[in-house]
């Protein structure tokens, strides 16, 4: 397969960055997330980013329209992101699968979210196969192959001293071609490195079906007890897509409407005018999160809404682990 | 696709290519042309959009569908809407920040509107049948969207019967329809009750479930459309069951908090249904299969 | 340590079996060797799930807030630092002391799981910085104690069956240097300070983990809960994030019990304790040394007025 030496990574990135915005996982101020590439940025491909790449297509806050209100008059003015091309470099299988989950939500079922679509359509995703499982990774348990993902435009493989690269789509081939033109590619027959057995494993098969009859199960009476209802799990999750439409007022006459991340863990999330909350306590909120990931989403879109990236497990303040929930569901007795 | 044929089945099948590319989150600029004070805390707003110097309906809604109304600088919320040739009607009860502000506006106010959202009542499937409408309080707003359809297409339906109740005579909404328009329609029985009467009230006094039990509507070839406060629904469903209405023939609407209206923002789900997209209309049989979380 | 765990299990078993309490907050062994997360049990037979070791880092006290409207009595295991959280909740009138049974434990000193090198095999880990700086390794309040620990309102050295090991590992060895990080920031110029905190607040995800884990953040409804109140914007911009962070710090001023949980749980790695410690230092300097959540009878310098309070800002 075509390959480039790891030592030439910076040249590869420079080449790609010369064609448009290039997002790379990097460490800036001790935060590991995707940043637009700069020559002085500390690129880090050792492990997956702490913050998922979902924020590139679905930023935590974005402006959607300006509004004005003068007396009985008012107006709306659309704000759309620029439709520019970008490359996401180094996306792991878990995050690639998560992008497909996001695509299902934002691009299908009758309506397209123009904000997501505009960013997503211009993106070329260069995935990176994992040769080492992270401490909290369990993508293989969610049916993914850590080494490659067919949803990517191009796939990188860890060949030891080299990264192998294969184009999958027209957009991906362009990336390969750009690197070839720059003289960075050679042929390599080295074996693709694969991760050793995952420390964290769980059997997720049939969980969605089993949960069908478990909405009222006593399991949910216990799971919430240590949860603090913070939004860490949902904000780090590469598939959690809930958002709020809120606003920032500039003055009493004008302001901007914003679309910003929201979390089913928060009390305001489902609170209705008049004060009724269909999911009033921690129990209902915790149940909603896991049911959404493991039953509702599969029922609607035919895939789990958990890709085994392990970010929620790594950062949950109380170690409420989705793998443990899956195990408990598997072991639970269901009447009838 | 978006506007013409947004049934859940079609939406489920729709691919990216089939979806009309509009920005669904941006409200359409419209004006409030008329405000009717229905009760001390309910007002009906007529909303039109200006097009070539004419005031026209912003978009058409099917019975039971929803519209997202926004007051610039205040907020946005989802309401049941019914259409007329040149306007949409939204009847809104004062319950929170936005609705309080809406009750302060005057005709001519610019508002934002987007929609239509949701599945609507299955009027085609009800064709040829008797329709029993049951409503409590502001619950008559969604029910009225179906009543208006049946009145406009009177020949498509057999007997019509509305059972409506409110807290007091002063709280009866759409009195012009209840006591003038609808009683004049052929084969349309209108039965009104109040929880507490006043000196001038000559009609029935009592709660909707008890009144319904007295009226004993015949379940044969009849579909029931019911909306109202949860407590009324709960007890009325018991009576309907006793009268012999099957769960397939009882239709209601569900309410959840909504933000996007297009099945993306997440919050309005009940189980794997999004109320803004797959609802708000469900048969009792469908609801029995859904998690009890609304 | 094993005997201590057995004692914990036996006590929890007895408390639940006798009906004296309806639930017990403790810890259990997690999915990996370096995890000992919180556990809530309601049945006597579940007492064997309880575990305690140098990974039982969670301060469980804020979880009591879920039971503040309940008539059930709940038992809770506490380390020294955690016990100050109980005082916080009692002083803030969020927890009825009659409805909580506090069980004090000796603390072996908690270690840093971020330093784990091998997920499969147990190896030594360094002591957490907060434990090196610990001044209250023993419970300041407890209804029962296990492992020979003693209740004391005074700062001191570890007491009880784990004391020797704790001292050896360095628990409390840097107690006097706990304002070191504050001094480092104070040494910066105003512009540098501003740049430093801008960078930190830019990272904030507004997940509110810091608030929700905190025993001092016990408001029934936080002003940041709703954007409708107009206090704060939902937009996660640096300005709004800073507004949240600073407001929270000022609201727990004089009430922060120095457990460090906010900083531990922050998924963005914001050094929240630097702000809290700065405020503690200022209080010490203005009003004399004061440690919040150590004395049930003492209201704290920011909670009452004295005629000789410093007032140069008035």
């Amino acid at each position: 397969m075509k390959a480039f030496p790891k030592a030439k990574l910076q040249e590869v990135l420079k080449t790609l960055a010369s064609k448009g915005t290039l997002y790379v996982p990097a460490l800036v101020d001790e935060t590991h997330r995707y940043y637009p590439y700069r020559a002085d940025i500390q690129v880090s491909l050792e492990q997956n980013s702490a913050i998922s790449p979902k924020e590139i297509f679905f930023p935590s806050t974005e402006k959607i329209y300006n509004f004005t209100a003068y007396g009985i008059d008012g107006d709306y003015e659309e704000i759309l992101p620029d439709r520019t091309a970008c490359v996401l470099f180094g996306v792991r299988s878990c995050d690639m699968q998560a992008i497909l989950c996001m695509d299902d939500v934002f691009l299908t079922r009758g309506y397209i979210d123009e904000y997501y679509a505009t960013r997503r359509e211009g993106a070329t995703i260069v995935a990176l196969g994992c040769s080492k499982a992270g401490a909290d990774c369990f993508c293989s348990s969610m049916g993914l192959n850590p080494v490659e993902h067919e949803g990517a435009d191009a796939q990188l493989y860890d060949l030891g001293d080299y990264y192998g690269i294969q184009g999958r789509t027209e957009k991906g081939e362009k990336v390969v071609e750009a690197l070839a033109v720059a003289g960075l590619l050679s042929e390599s027959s080295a074996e693709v490195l694969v991760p050793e057995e995952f420390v964290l494993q769980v059997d997720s098969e049939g969980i969605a079906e089993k949960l069908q009859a478990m909405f009222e199960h006593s399991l949910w009476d216990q799971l919430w007890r240590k949860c603090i209802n913070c939004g860490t799990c949902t904000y780090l999750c590469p598939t959690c897509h809930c958002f709020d439409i809120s606003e920032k007022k500039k003055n009493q006459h004008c302001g901007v409407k914003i679309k910003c991340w929201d979390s089913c863990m928060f009390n305001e999330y489902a609170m209705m005018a008049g004060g009724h909350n269909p999911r009033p306590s921690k129990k209902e909120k915790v149940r909603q999160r896991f049911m959404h990931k493991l039953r509702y989403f599969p029922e609607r879109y035919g895939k789990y809404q958990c890709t085994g990236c392990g970010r929620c497990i790594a950062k949950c303040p109380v170690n409420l682990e989705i793998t443990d929930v899956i195990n408990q569901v598997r072991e639970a007795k269901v009447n009838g | 696709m978006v506007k013409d044929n947004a049934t859940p089945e079609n939406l489920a099948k729709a691919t990216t290519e089939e979806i009309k590319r509009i920005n669904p989150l941006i409200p359409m600029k419209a004006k409030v042309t008329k405000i009717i004070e229905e009760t001390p805390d309910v007002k009906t707003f007529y909303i039109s959009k200006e097009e070539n110097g004419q005031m026209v309906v912003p978009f058409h809604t099917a019975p039971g569908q929803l519209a997202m109304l926004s007051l610039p600088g205040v907020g946005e919320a989802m309401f049941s809407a019914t259409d007329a040739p040149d306007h949409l009607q939204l009847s809104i009860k004062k319950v929170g920040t936005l609705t309080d502000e809406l009750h302060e506006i005057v005709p001519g106010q610019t508002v934002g509107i987007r929609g239509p959202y949701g599945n609507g009542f299955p009027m085609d499937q009800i064709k040829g049948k008797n329709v029993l409408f049951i409503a409590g309080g502001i619950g008559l707003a969604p029910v009225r969207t179906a009543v208006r359809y049946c009145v406009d297409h009177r020949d498509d339906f057999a007997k019509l019967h509305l059972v409506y109740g409110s807290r007091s005579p002063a709280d009866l909404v759409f009195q012009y329809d209840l006591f003038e328009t609808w009683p004049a329609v052929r084969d349309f029985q209108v039965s009104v009750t109040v929880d507490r009467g006043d000196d001038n009230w000559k009609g029935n006094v009592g709660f909707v479930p008890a009144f319904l039990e007295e009226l004993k509507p015949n379940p044969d070839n009849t579909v029931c459309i019911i909306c109202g406060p949860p407590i009324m629904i709960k007890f009325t469903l018991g009576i309907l069951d006793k009268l012999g209405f099957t769960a397939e023939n009882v239709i209601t609407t569900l309410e959840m908090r909504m933000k996007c209206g297009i099945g993306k923002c997440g919050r309005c789900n009940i189980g794997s249904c999004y109320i803004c997209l797959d609802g708000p209309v469900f048969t009792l049989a469908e609801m029995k299969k859904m998690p009890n979380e609304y | 340590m094993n005997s201590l765990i057995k004692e914990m299990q036996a006590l929890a078993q007895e408390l639940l079996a006798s009906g004296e309490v309806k639930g017990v907050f403790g810890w259990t062994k997690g999915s990996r060797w370096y995890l000992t997360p919180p556990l809530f049990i309601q049945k006597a037979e579940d007492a064997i799930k309880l575990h305690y070791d140098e990974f039982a880092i969670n301060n469980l006290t804020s979880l009591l807030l879920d039971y503040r409207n309940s008539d059930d009595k709940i038992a809770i295991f506490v380390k020294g630092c955690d016990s100050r959280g109980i005082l916080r909740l009692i002083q803030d009138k969020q927890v009825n002391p009659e409805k909580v049974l506090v069980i004090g434990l000796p603390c072996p000193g908690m270690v840093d799981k971020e330093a784990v090198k091998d997920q499969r095999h147990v190896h030594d880990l360094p002591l957490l910085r907060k434990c090196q700086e610990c001044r209250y390794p023993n419970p300041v309040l407890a209804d029962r104690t296990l492992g020979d620990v003693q209740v004391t309102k005074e700062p001191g050295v570890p007491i009880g069956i784990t004391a020797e090991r704790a001292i050896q590992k360095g628990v409390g060895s840097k107690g006097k240097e706990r304002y070191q990080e504050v001094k480092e920031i104070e040494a910066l110029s105003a512009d540098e300070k501003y740049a430093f905190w801008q960078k930190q607040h830019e990272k904030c995800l507004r997940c509110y983990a810091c608030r929700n884990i905190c025993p001092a953040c016990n408001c029934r409804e936080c002003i940041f809960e709703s954007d409708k109140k107009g206090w704060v914007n939902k937009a996660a911009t640096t300005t709004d994030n800073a507004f949240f962070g600073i407001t929270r710090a000022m609201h727990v001023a004089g009430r922060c019990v120095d457990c460090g949980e906010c900083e531990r749980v922050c998924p963005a790695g914001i050094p929240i304790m630097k702000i809290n410690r700065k405020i503690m230092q200022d209080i010490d300097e203005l009003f004399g040394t004061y440690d919040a959540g150590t004395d049930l009878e003492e209201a704290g310098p920011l909670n009452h007025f004295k005629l000789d309070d410093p007032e140069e800002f008035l």
Side-chain angles (χ1 to χ4, degrees):
Chain A
M1 108 173 66
K2 291 198 177 72
F4 60 86
K6 285 184 177 174
K8 287 198 174 168
L9 179 65
Q10 285 297 336
E11 283 170 59
V12 166
L13 296 176
K14 265 180 207 142
T15 305
L16 297 179
S18 68
K19 315 270 173 200
T21 310
L22 171 69
Y23 290 98
V24 284
L27 271 167
V28 176
D29 296 327
E30 290 160 48
T31 307
H32 195 198
R33 71 205 300 174
Y34 283 73
Y35 293 94
Y37 175 79
R38 296 189 316 258
D40 62 344
I41 209 165
Q42 190 188 344
V43 176
S44 173
L45 299 177
E46 282 305 298
Q47 53 188 7
N48 200 2
S49 63
I51 311 283
S52 90
K54 80 172 171 189
E55 60 180 354
I56 296 169
F57 303 137
F58 175 43
S60 70
T61 299
E62 71 182 313
K63 295 172 178 175
I64 59 174
Y65 59 84
N66 288 315
F67 60 83
T68 53
Y70 289 95
I72 60 167
D73 289 328
D75 207 357
Y76 302 95
E77 182 200 357
E78 184 182 45
I79 306 170
L80 266 182
D82 291 336
R83 196 176 291 267
T84 50
C86 69
V87 174
L88 272 68
F89 188 92
V91 175
R92 311 295 174 126
S93 291
C94 51
D95 290 340
M96 186 61 240
Q97 175 71 11
I99 291 170
L100 298 190
C101 289
M102 288 281 194
D103 287 352
D104 281 343
V105 172
F106 287 121
L107 303 177
T108 72
R109 307 301 166 99
Y111 297 91
I112 287 177
D113 180 307
E114 283 298 317
Y115 301 89
Y116 180 88
T118 305
R119 294 190 173 88
R120 176 74 174 95
E121 281 162 1
T124 303
I125 299 175
V126 181
L128 168 61
C130 293
S131 56
K132 197 176 80 194
D136 305 292
C137 291
F138 60 103
C139 71
S140 63
S141 297
M142 300 314 288
L144 302 184
N145 179 355
V147 173
E148 58 183 1
H149 196 296
E150 58 187 21
D153 293 303
Q155 180 75 49
L156 295 167
Y157 297 91
D158 191 344
L159 305 177
D161 293 333
Y162 281 76
Y163 282 121
I165 185 164
Q166 273 178 2
R168 291 255 168 74
T169 65
E170 210 175 300
K171 284 198 264 185
E173 290 292 357
K174 276 191 186 151
V175 168
V176 178
E177 198 187 306
L179 299 181
V181 169
L184 290 162
L185 298 183
S186 57
E187 267 313 304
S188 169
S189 54
E191 287 274 307
V192 173
L193 299 182
V194 297
E196 57 179 309
E197 210 180 333
F198 284 61
V199 177
L200 212 50
Q201 290 191 40
V202 67
D203 180 3
S204 65
E205 197 169 331
I207 291 298
E209 292 74 15
K210 186 165 182 186
L211 280 169
Q212 189 86 26
M214 286 182 65
F215 185 81
E216 306 281 3
H217 199 277
S218 59
L219 172 78
W220 307 113
D221 293 328
Q222 294 309 316
L223 276 177
W224 64 270
R225 302 277 178 174
K226 63 177 177 178
C227 179
I228 59 168
N229 266 181
C230 72
T232 304
C233 48
T234 54
Y235 284 1
L236 294 181
C237 179
T239 69
C240 272
H241 59 80
C242 288
F243 62 86
D244 191 7
I245 297 175
S246 186
E247 61 193 29
K248 266 174 93 85
K249 271 191 196 146
K250 290 194 183 109
N251 56 43
Q252 67 176 119
H253 296 301
C254 62
V256 60
K257 208 82 174 171
I258 54 172
K259 177 182 164 199
C260 55
W261 289 359
D262 204 354
S263 170
C264 56
M265 294 289 110
F266 298 161
N267 210 42
E268 273 276 309
Y269 174 76
M271 177 80 86
M272 288 159 66
H276 173 63
N277 193 337
R279 294 191 275 269
S281 74
K282 283 184 181 175
K283 175 186 163 180
E284 292 85 19
K285 294 180 178 93
V286 168
R287 175 170 61 191
Q288 164 67 17
R289 183 167 98 82
F290 291 114
M291 284 294 251
H292 189 209
K293 298 233 162 285
L294 302 170
R295 192 206 131 191
Y296 304 153
F297 196 93
E299 199 168 306
R300 212 171 165 81
Y301 299 109
K303 48 172 88 78
Y304 281 123
Q305 202 202 8
C306 170
T307 67
C309 77
R311 289 184 179 95
C312 58
I313 293 179
K315 293 291 182 187
C316 175
V318 297
N319 293 101
L320 181 45
E321 301 175 349
I322 190 167
T323 41
D324 181 44
V325 174
I326 293 172
N327 277 328
Q328 288 196 40
V329 169
R330 174 160 302 288
E331 283 157 23
K333 285 197 186 76
V334 179
N335 298 331
Chain B
M1 179 84 213
V2 172
K3 295 201 168 169
D4 315 329
N5 207 7
T7 67
E9 294 77 29
N10 287 340
L11 290 175
K13 280 186 246 142
T15 63
T16 313
E17 291 72 37
E18 286 170 328
I19 303 167
K20 199 152 84 185
R21 294 293 292 262
I22 51 160
N23 186 344
L25 296 179
I26 310 294
M28 184 189 294
K29 202 175 146 179
K31 267 198 178 356
V32 173
T33 52
K34 184 177 169 183
I35 301 172
I36 299 171
E37 204 169 324
E38 303 282 354
T39 73
D41 62 359
V42 177
K43 284 184 178 178
T44 296
F45 300 87
Y46 283 30
I47 292 160
S48 306
K49 151 184 98 154
E50 201 174 325
E51 209 173 80
N52 307 324
Q54 296 248 301
M55 296 310 273
V56 299
V57 66
F59 44 78
H60 285 285
T61 56
Q65 280 193 311
L66 307 167
M68 188 68 99
L69 179 68
S70 72
L71 192 55
V74 181
E76 197 178 40
M78 196 74 103
F79 302 98
S80 178
T82 180
D83 64 1
D86 62 352
H87 66 268
L88 279 176
Q89 292 179 18
L90 278 68
S91 300
I92 297 171
K93 188 182 165 92
K94 251 168 115 156
V95 289
T97 321
L98 172 70
T99 52
D100 279 358
E101 290 290 334
L102 280 170
H103 273 246
E104 299 297 319
I105 66 172
V106 294
Q109 171 70 44
T110 300
V111 291
I113 193 146
R114 53 192 181 93
Y117 297 125
N119 54 357
F121 293 111
M123 302 314 292
D124 284 348
Q125 291 166 38
I126 305 174
K127 252 183 198 168
K129 296 186 177 167
N130 304 313
V131 191
L132 170 65
F133 306 99
I134 304 174
I138 188 66
L140 186 54
V143 166
R144 178 170 171 261
T145 66
V147 174
R148 281 163 57 94
Y149 182 92
C150 292
V151 169
D152 289 347
H153 303 78
R154 185 64 198 88
D155 294 341
D156 290 348
F157 301 91
K159 286 183 187 155
L160 304 178
H161 185 186
L162 168 70
V163 181
Y164 176 56
S166 72
R167 282 174 303 183
S168 73
D171 289 307
L172 293 167
V173 291
F174 311 118
Q175 297 195 17
Y176 43 95
D177 281 338
L178 287 173
F179 302 119
E180 289 164 34
T181 322
W182 296 340
V185 175
R186 170 174 58 83
D187 250 350
F188 190 174
Q189 183 184 347
V190 179
S191 312
V192 180
T193 183
V194 294
D195 298 351
R196 289 176 315 276
D198 59 22
D199 294 345
N200 300 322
W201 180 250
K202 305 261 178 344
N204 192 76
V205 175
F207 295 124
V208 167
F211 190 37
L212 183 73
E213 201 169 11
E214 252 171 62
L215 292 165
K216 280 193 187 50
N218 188 345
D220 292 344
N221 193 37
T222 304
V223 168
C224 172
I225 293 177
I226 174 168
C227 295
I231 191 78
M232 180 210 92
I233 302 236
K234 189 180 160 192
F235 288 103
T236 309
L237 290 181
I239 306 294
L240 287 169
D241 186 51
K242 220 157 96 181
L243 291 169
F245 282 84
T246 61
E248 289 74 20
N249 286 324
V250 177
I251 300 170
T252 189
T253 61
L254 291 174
E255 214 182 320
M256 293 287 277
R257 184 167 200 219
M258 296 178 194
K259 284 283 182 168
C260 73
I262 55 173
K264 317 287 188 207
C265 82
R267 76 201 66 239
C268 74
N269 80 298
I270 300 174
S272 53
C273 283
Y274 282 118
I275 301 311
C276 67
L277 211 57
D278 310 317
V281 176
F282 296 94
T283 66
L284 188 56
E286 287 167 332
M287 278 171 60
K288 280 180 175 169
K289 289 186 205 145
M290 291 158 68
N292 184 14
E293 192 173 65
Y294 37 83
Chain C
M1 194 57 112
N2 278 341
S3 66
L4 180 58
I5 296 168
K6 286 270 175 325
E7 277 186 70
M8 288 170 69
Q9 294 177 345
L11 177 57
Q13 205 273 344
E14 179 201 314
L15 290 168
L16 287 165
S18 69
E20 188 179 343
V21 302
K22 288 286 192 294
V24 177
F25 275 114
W27 303 266
T28 190
K29 201 58 217 157
S31 59
R32 266 72 57 79
W33 64 269
Y34 48 89
L35 299 174
T36 305
L39 176 72
F40 182 72
I41 55 169
Q42 291 161 293
K43 290 189 222 133
E45 65 257 36
D46 287 338
I48 50 160
K49 293 180 185 166
L50 286 168
H51 188 83
Y52 184 59
D53 57 19
E54 56 196 1
F55 304 107
I57 180 170
N58 280 71
N59 177 348
L60 308 168
T61 57
S62 69
L63 291 168
L64 285 174
L65 292 170
D66 287 330
Y67 301 86
R68 63 182 148 191
N69 296 327
S70 160
D71 288 332
D72 295 340
K73 188 166 184 171
I74 306 288
I76 183 167
F77 287 101
V78 294
K79 310 183 288 287
C81 53
D82 305 342
S83 68
R84 295 172 64 184
I86 302 275
L87 255 91
R88 170 84 289 120
L89 293 170
I90 294 173
Q91 281 186 323
D92 290 350
K93 306 219 168 5
Q94 295 305 311
V95 158
N96 176 355
E98 307 290 311
K99 295 290 172 198
V100 189
L101 186 102
V102 183
I103 309 160
L105 297 173
C107 179
M110 297 292 131
V111 295
D112 188 359
K113 78 179 173 78
E114 300 300 321
V116 168
K117 288 192 185 72
D118 183 343
Q119 269 86 47
R120 288 163 209 272
H121 305 102
V122 179
H123 58 80
D124 274 344
L125 291 169
L127 194 66
L128 280 170
R129 186 184 173 124
K130 79 161 187 177
C131 296
Q132 294 172 28
E133 293 170 351
C134 175
R135 292 162 68 247
Y136 289 87
N138 308 301
V140 296
L141 164 152
D143 300 297
R144 307 277 278 267
T145 54
L146 297 178
D148 296 335
V149 77
Q150 283 164 30
V151 174
T152 168
K153 282 186 209 175
E154 303 304 323
V157 292
I159 307 170
I161 61 164
T162 60
E164 198 182 324
R165 174 142 170 72
I167 293 166
Q168 199 184 17
K169 281 198 299 186
V171 169
S173 61
K174 293 187 177 167
K176 292 204 170 63
E177 298 162 36
R178 68 198 185 106
Y179 292 141
Q180 190 55 42
E181 287 191 334
V182 176
K183 304 277 182 230
E184 284 163 21
I185 302 256
E186 282 175 338
L188 300 175
S189 71
D191 284 350
E192 287 168 331
K193 278 182 208 158
Y194 181 75
F196 175 82
W197 286 110
Q198 282 291 99
K199 264 184 192 169
Q200 299 304 332
H201 288 126
E202 197 185 326
K203 297 194 275 189
C204 175
L205 298 171
R206 294 275 284 279
C207 69
Y208 300 123
C210 52
R211 177 192 72 185
N212 291 13
I213 200 83
C214 175
C217 267
N218 51 41
C219 292
R220 277 161 202 251
E221 197 184 352
C222 176
I223 61 157
F224 295 103
E225 191 61 41
S226 167
D227 58 343
K228 283 186 204 139
K229 311 278 189 298
W231 283 102
V232 72
N233 207 272
K234 239 177 162 164
T237 61
T238 307
T239 322
D240 284 304
N241 299 347
F243 179 60
F244 163 66
I246 295 165
T247 307
R248 200 187 86 84
M250 291 315 293
H251 197 204
V252 300
R255 300 189 306 117
C256 168
V257 296
D258 205 16
C259 70
E261 282 288 84
C262 50
E263 185 167 312
R264 176 183 72 85
V265 302
C266 178
I270 299 170
I272 302 170
M273 284 307 290
K274 284 195 211 289
I275 313 178
N276 294 338
R277 285 266 173 93
K278 161 70 178 158
I279 296 170
M280 280 176 214
Q281 183 191 267
D282 286 354
I283 290 174
D284 280 2
E285 284 170 5
L286 284 165
F287 303 97
T289 305
Y290 172 70
D291 291 314
T294 56
D295 188 341
L296 210 45
E297 311 308 323
E298 199 183 345
L302 300 188
N303 294 57
H304 69 287
F305 174 72
K306 279 188 189 164
L307 282 172
D308 59 352
D309 275 345
E311 51 177 347
E312 60 249 50
F313 53 91
L314 286 181

